[in-house]
Amino acid sequence: MASSLSPGAFVDLFRGLQEGLYVGLAGPDTTMTLAANPHIRSIFGWPPETPDAGVRPLDPDRFVDDQAREAFLARLHDDGAVRDCLLRLRHVDGTAMWIEVTARAARTGPAAALRIEAMMRDVTDRKRLQDQARDLYQQLAQSERLAALGQTMSGVAHELNNPLATILACAERLHGRRLDDSTRRDLEAIHNAAERAARIVRNLQTFARKRHTTRTTVDLNQVARETLALRAYEHRATSIVAGEDLASSLPPVFVDPHQIQQIVLNLLINAEQAMLEARGHGRLLVRTWEDADRDAVVLEVSDDGPGVPDEMQARVFDPFFTTKAVGKGTGLGLSVAYAIAQEHGGQISVGSPGPLGGASFLLELPVSGTRVKAPDTAPTVSLPPVPKGTRALVIEDEAALGDAVAAALADEGFRPDRAENGEEALARIRERHYDVIICDLKMPKVDGMAFFRAVSAKMPHIAKRLIFVTGDVAGTDAERFLEESRCRWVPKPFRLRDLVRLARETLN
């Protein structure tokens, strides 16, 4: 038995359906509405009493992007229909929203407007959740890539630290001797190249989250000012105009100030290089503000350079990714910045265009809620001479490095002995007393931790006389060991004068 709906039933369905329904004519510059149900008024914010003629969702001024309207009408004209087409349209109050449109159309004459019958759905919330999920996926993928490379880089950095420490130590020793001009120039070149390599290794360690941090409450505005001051000469020399817009009463953050300055410095240098390569000059701006809703402070570095293309934004934090010419960058600057921000519970994001029309990088850090500490202005204390007969033991399996450390200690008045591993060192301390012991943490046979445990029972104050040197601490068993033993330690590669000063301080 056949059944049919009356015209009144169709009208009730049209008015009662919880989807936006629209029938109208759309031309290049204007539209005319033939019918619009109540729900479409609700979607766009028109009052319920608005007549159909006043409900015009496809007018040009409703579209955020004029070209999107042209493309939408052209597609309807060519295909006769669209399904689940996403349009960025404006609410009556001017806010942008995402509307999903399924429609069919027909031309009413050779040169007439399109007759459109459309169903519209507000999917702004769904689109936001999809974007958040995509961003979360990208962050997780980025973190996985960083973690995998971090493990490799940590091992590479540790293996490089020993030869770099040896090169720097020997170069430092030779620098104090009488040399002809040619030899001194070569020596300085060796020393400078080794220092550069050491900085790269430190970047690798920071990227791999294998660097010891010292955190305190910090004024982010002060970090921004000091970093801008570091680049002031370069800005003058390269015709870059730097400005700042720093929020007053910015809450402090609990961070490692040196690492946060490294982030800001990397962002500044990245912006400078982009502008100089594009035009040879430029403007950059550093801004800060508080995001109370997220309990965070934000630092933004923006420029008027070429910006970051959309297809590259997902890759700019990848290790070794760079658009610079060979020799102009390692591709680690933004990766290091990303790793440091993550380590501090914050994040870095990239946007383009920024306030100046180019790229914009945002650093977000959690608020500490504590007061900023006053800077340490304690004067440097001069150390007394090393008492005659003071003995030092250097335990190092890298023979050249151990010899260089022992020679530097001898220059300061110590009587140094050498041991190539913990097993040999245990035999030596049974023979005589040592006032200072400098010990590598990783060694064959008996390593530094095993050496400490073997002697601490008989020498309970051994920790006060021990200085460990190592290239791999943070996040390892060694970090927990050093915290528990309370022994002093220095990272490789180190400066001989710093290690010698620490040895002299140990005597006091």
Side-chain angles (χ1 to χ4, degrees), residues 11 28 120 170 189 249 425:
V11 171
M120 300 185 180
C170 292
S249 303

Side-chain angles (χ1 to χ4, degrees), residues 14 47 66 80 148 152 155 196 299 322 330 372 381 418 424 440 506:
F14 182 82
D66 292 338
T152 302
R196 181 184 175 192
L299 181 143
T322 180
T330 63
V372 178
V381 178
R418 283 277 288 112
E424 185 180 339
D440 192 7
T506 301

Side-chain angles (χ1 to χ4, degrees), residues 158-295:
H158 178 71
E159 290 303 315
L160 288 174
N161 272 327
N162 279 331
L164 280 175
T166 302
I167 294 169
L168 284 169
C170 292
E172 194 174 341
R173 288 274 302 148
L174 290 172
H175 196 271
R177 298 183 181 180
R178 297 181 61 183
L179 303 170
D180 60 77
D181 291 342
S182 177
T183 303
R184 186 168 295 278
R185 282 194 302 270
D186 290 343
L187 181 61
E188 288 176 355
I190 292 171
H191 189 272
N192 292 338
E195 283 279 16
R196 181 184 175 192
R199 286 193 297 271
I200 294 173
V201 168
R202 284 193 291 271
N203 279 344
L204 290 172
Q205 288 177 307
T206 300
F207 166 74
R209 302 183 185 182
K210 294 292 184 183
R211 175 174 162 180
H212 185 71
T213 63
T214 303
R215 300 191 186 187
T216 184
T217 47
V218 172
D219 180 359
L220 193 58
N221 284 342
Q222 186 63 26
V223 174
R225 293 188 187 99
E226 290 175 355
T227 312
L228 282 170
L230 286 175
R231 303 299 297 169
Y233 174 78
E234 291 294 330
H235 293 163
R236 290 193 299 270
T238 54
S239 300
I240 289 177
V241 179
E244 62 180 56
D245 181 12
L246 308 179
S248 59
S249 303
L250 196 69
V253 287
F254 188 69
V255 297
D256 182 325
H258 301 294
Q259 290 194 344
I260 299 305
Q261 186 175 63
Q262 184 177 1
I263 292 179
V264 181
L265 188 61
N266 285 353
L267 295 181
L268 287 177
I269 292 174
N270 195 64
E272 293 163 13
Q273 292 175 341
M275 292 185 293
L276 292 176
E277 289 178 8
R279 298 199 312 274
H281 61 85
R283 294 182 301 140
L284 63 82
L285 176 66
V286 178
R287 300 193 299 168
T288 59
W289 66 87
E290 179 184 6
D291 187 343
D293 294 337
R294 301 183 62 191
D295 192 32

Side-chain angles (χ1 to χ4, degrees), residues 385-391 413-415 435:
V386 175
K388 189 175 182 179
T390 301
R391 288 190 171 273
F414 288 90
R415 294 180 61 186
D435 302 283

Side-chain angles (χ1 to χ4, degrees), residues 320-488:
F320 305 114
F321 176 76
T322 180
T323 59
K324 302 180 180 70
V326 176
K328 296 294 185 181
T330 63
L332 277 173
L334 290 179
S335 298
V336 169
Y338 184 95
I340 294 174
Q342 291 282 311
E343 188 73 8
H344 283 78
Q347 65 179 29
I348 292 182
S349 57
V350 59
S352 186
L356 298 180
S360 171
F361 284 85
L362 299 175
L363 167 64
E364 297 175 83
L365 294 169
V367 174
S368 67
T370 57
R371 186 172 56 85
V372 178
K373 293 182 179 179
D376 184 9
T377 57
T380 302
V381 178
S382 59
L383 296 172
V386 175
K388 189 175 182 179
T390 301
R391 288 190 171 273
L393 177 62
V394 180
I395 313 169
E396 171 62 64
D397 58 320
E398 292 280 339
L401 177 58
D403 291 343
V405 172
L409 290 170
D411 291 343
E412 290 293 313
F414 288 90
R415 294 180 61 186
D417 286 335
R418 283 277 288 112
E420 292 189 357
N421 53 61
E423 188 176 66
E424 185 180 339
L426 289 172
R428 285 195 172 274
I429 65 171
R430 283 193 289 267
E431 297 172 358
R432 60 169 58 96
H433 169 85
Y434 290 100
D435 302 283
V436 176
I437 301 173
I438 297 174
C439 182
D440 192 7
L441 202 55
K442 277 193 173 183
M443 294 180 294
K445 297 182 180 179
V446 178
D447 63 11
M449 289 185 283
F451 170 78
F452 175 83
R453 295 186 182 107
V455 298
S456 57
K458 295 181 179 180
M459 303 178 183
H461 300 297
I462 188 69
K464 295 181 179 180
R465 290 186 276 134
L466 253 175
I467 303 170
F468 283 108
V469 293
T470 181
D472 187 7
V473 171
T476 65
D477 292 339
E479 182 180 31
R480 290 185 289 274
F481 162 74
L482 291 172
E483 289 176 356
E484 293 170 0
S485 66
R486 304 181 69 181
C487 291
R488 292 181 170 190

Side-chain angles (χ1 to χ4, degrees), residues 127-145 294 314 338 342 347 349:
K127 186 69 166 58
R128 186 182 67 252
L129 290 173
Q130 287 174 342
D131 291 344
Q132 290 175 350
R134 185 195 65 230
D135 292 343
L136 179 60
Y137 172 79
Q138 290 178 348
Q139 290 177 17
L140 289 173
Q142 179 78 12
S143 296
E144 288 176 359
R145 288 195 297 270
R294 301 183 62 191
Y338 184 95
Q342 291 282 311
Q347 65 179 29
S349 57

